[in-house]
Amino acid sequence: MTIKRYGGGMIWEVSASPTTTGTAWTGPWTVIPQVMGTITLPGGTATKIDITTHDDIITYGKIRQNAGGIADVTDPGGSILWDPDDTVHQKLLAAFQAGSVFQFRFTFASSTGVVTKKYGAMGQVSIGNGTSDINGYVTYPVTVVANTVNFNVA
């Protein structure tokens, strides 16, 4: 039975140390605290390649034949209520400054507490311009400049 997943309660985690390969999606994982708003999840979009032949015109008429090419990976991320004293936020900032590659895991919210499939992305951290609203809080956009995704992370 298919379950409609509520978006609130998503858990975004970072691997304990930098990595150079995408083969070991085993953690250990540390929760990134104070993530808010909409989280962009791992995914991708295949490029569209025209593979129409003259024979296809005879067979299918004036219908272009296409195939999926190499996919561009989506860069996951979201906004964080930033705390410069938080150790995980400091880790993200240090990774951004060093250009380190980390693995990230996204766990879906569940009313039953059981989620068997978790998604992942591996890439460098990008931290955008923070904002400090006079009537709000300090927030920073954090994005994973992804070079690979995984749709079955432990």
Side-chain angles (χ1 to χ4, degrees):
M1 179 172 150
T2 301
I3 298 172
K4 296 177 182 172
R5 299 285 179 183
Y6 182 68
M10 176 71 63
I11 298 171
W12 184 9
E13 298 166 294
V14 60
S15 59
S17 57
T19 184
T20 55
T21 65
T23 58
W25 298 80
T26 57
W29 304 100
T30 302
V31 173
I32 300 172
Q34 303 188 159
V35 177
M36 58 179 287
T38 301
I39 298 173
T40 301
L41 298 171
T45 303
T47 57
K48 189 174 175 179
I49 300 172
D50 180 358
I51 59 168
T52 308
T53 66
H54 291 277
D55 297 339
D56 291 334
I57 302 298
I58 295 168
T59 305
Y60 303 109
K62 293 172 109 178
I63 305 293
R64 189 175 305 275
Q65 303 299 299
N66 295 300
I70 297 173
D72 288 324
V73 178
T74 302
D75 293 334
S79 293
I80 295 178
L81 287 170
W82 197 260
D83 179 358
D85 294 327
D86 181 85
T87 57
V88 178
H89 294 181
Q90 290 172 0
K91 177 181 180 174
L92 293 173
L93 191 57
F96 166 65
Q97 290 175 313
S100 302
V101 174
F102 280 85
Q103 292 178 336
F104 296 85
R105 181 170 77 172
F106 299 83
T107 303
F108 293 83
S110 171
S111 59
T112 64
V114 178
V115 176
T116 57
K117 295 285 184 186
K118 299 171 185 178
Y119 293 173
M122 184 174 71
Q124 294 173 299
V125 177
S126 175
I127 298 180
N129 294 330
T131 59
S132 178
D133 191 315
I134 196 166
N135 193 32
Y137 294 87
V138 175
T139 61
Y140 274 87
V142 176
T143 304
V144 178
V145 182
N147 56 34
T148 191
V149 294
N150 184 334
F151 297 108
N152 191 19
V153 177

